[in-house]
Amino acid sequence: MNKLENKLSSREVAEMIEMEHAKLLRKIDGINEDLAKAKIGFSKYWTEGSYVDKSGKSNREYMVTKGGCEFLAHKTTGTKGNLFTDRYMDKFAEMEQYIEEGHKKQLSPMEILELQFQVVKEQGEKLEEVDSKVTKLENDMPLFNVDCKELQNLVRKIGIKVLGGYKSQAYKDNSLRGRVYSDIQHQLRREFGVSRYEAIKRSQLEKARGIVNNYVVPTVLEEEIIQVNNQISIEEAM
């Protein structure tokens, strides 16, 4: 329970109702659909949010108001409904008492310090959650245009090296040069199962560089490159 907000996490509500959290989320989603069709807002009952679990994965949850708990209590019949009503009433009474007492009494310097620490701690947890989401978003983003150009330049650089340098006869052979470039690009796209550079994720950029840098020319192309370059050498010698 978060004492700084007069709301309960849907995870805590799920425990009170003795229901799986995923099932409760589906239940609330269904209610939201009905309210939306009637053009009724649901923020007075709950607001959608998220939390990060121990594995670092972001998961959905709702922050449920007292009115939202009452709404769900009406939807839950029998013993479970009665017990849930008792539990959430106790929780909100506890929160309301905490807020009321905080306004009434003069806090000691130590209590003020503890309250400030609690706020800083919770804000830190929220910042970590935001940072985790930003990192995940960055890693899942496709390559920027500048990244694609970098890979294209690297493909040309490695291609020139494979062909024997930009002054080599193999490099000057447009058809052969094109096939070498095409083979490097094909290998790169095949490794990531994509049809274009832009579909590669930014988190895979370093691996993409390594694939290009470690490119090994196929035997059939290598033999043709050697033959073209050696042919010129023999003709010059004659």
Side-chain angles (χ1 to χ4, degrees):
M1 178 181 66
N2 185 349
K3 291 184 176 180
L4 297 179
E5 295 183 13
N6 206 16
K7 294 179 182 179
L8 295 176
S9 165
S10 54
R11 289 174 285 158
E12 191 170 2
V13 172
E15 290 181 7
M16 293 181 188
I17 305 178
E18 298 180 359
M19 178 186 294
E20 291 182 6
H21 186 228
K23 187 175 180 180
L24 178 59
L25 290 179
R26 290 195 295 270
K27 186 183 186 75
I28 294 176
D29 289 339
I31 294 171
N32 288 345
E33 289 180 5
D34 292 338
L35 294 176
K37 290 177 182 177
K39 297 183 179 180
I40 299 174
F42 55 82
S43 59
K44 58 185 175 181
Y45 299 123
W46 40 67
T47 54
E48 188 166 4
S50 62
Y51 69 95
V52 178
D53 59 25
K54 294 180 181 179
S55 67
K57 180 183 178 182
S58 180
N59 302 276
R60 292 177 64 222
E61 71 172 349
Y62 282 99
M63 296 306 297
V64 187
T65 66
K66 186 176 181 180
C69 286
E70 291 172 350
F71 195 119
L72 292 172
H74 287 300
K75 292 285 187 179
T76 308
T77 59
T79 303
K80 284 189 178 182
N82 294 333
L83 294 178
F84 169 54
T85 300
D86 177 71
R87 289 165 183 163
Y88 87 73
M89 291 294 288
D90 284 347
K91 287 289 185 181
F92 277 99
E94 179 186 343
M95 286 190 288
E96 289 165 1
Q97 182 180 359
Y98 176 85
I99 294 172
E100 184 178 349
E101 289 178 354
H103 285 297
K104 284 183 178 180
K105 72 175 184 177
Q106 184 69 33
L107 298 178
S108 68
M110 182 56 71
E111 287 173 324
I112 293 174
L113 183 61
E114 288 177 351
L115 187 58
Q116 290 174 335
F117 173 77
Q118 179 68 19
V119 172
V120 171
K121 180 182 177 183
E122 292 188 3
Q123 290 300 319
E125 290 173 350
K126 289 181 180 179
L127 287 174
E128 288 180 3
E129 179 180 342
V130 171
D131 184 63
S132 175
K133 289 181 178 179
V134 170
T135 300
K136 185 177 184 301
L137 179 62
E138 288 179 344
N139 288 338
D140 289 342
M141 287 178 64
L143 292 183
F144 295 148
N145 190 45
V146 64
D147 299 323
C148 294
K149 288 183 178 179
E150 177 191 339
L151 284 179
Q152 289 170 350
N153 290 334
L154 186 58
V155 167
R156 284 194 290 269
K157 177 183 176 181
I158 298 302
I160 292 171
K161 181 180 179 182
V162 167
L163 290 163
Y166 69 92
K167 291 184 179 180
S168 69
Q169 194 63 28
Y171 174 80
K172 295 176 182 178
D173 187 321
N174 293 337
S175 174
L176 183 54
R177 183 175 71 244
R179 279 181 284 145
V180 170
Y181 288 163
S182 178
D183 190 68
I184 300 174
Q185 293 167 343
H186 175 72
Q187 180 178 343
L188 181 60
R189 292 193 296 265
R190 185 186 65 231
E191 290 287 342
F192 296 105
V194 298
S195 59
R196 52 196 178 90
Y197 290 158
E198 292 84 348
I200 299 174
K201 295 180 180 180
R202 294 208 74 235
S203 59
Q204 300 171 319
L205 179 57
E206 191 59 36
K207 185 174 182 180
R209 293 191 188 108
I211 290 171
V212 177
N213 278 317
N214 296 317
Y215 169 76
V216 176
V217 62
T219 301
V220 62
L221 280 177
E222 183 181 28
E223 290 179 349
E224 188 173 351
I225 291 169
I226 294 172
Q227 181 180 0
V228 170
N229 286 336
N230 286 345
Q231 182 179 356
I232 300 303
S233 299
I234 294 172
E235 289 177 354
E236 290 176 349
M238 293 175 63

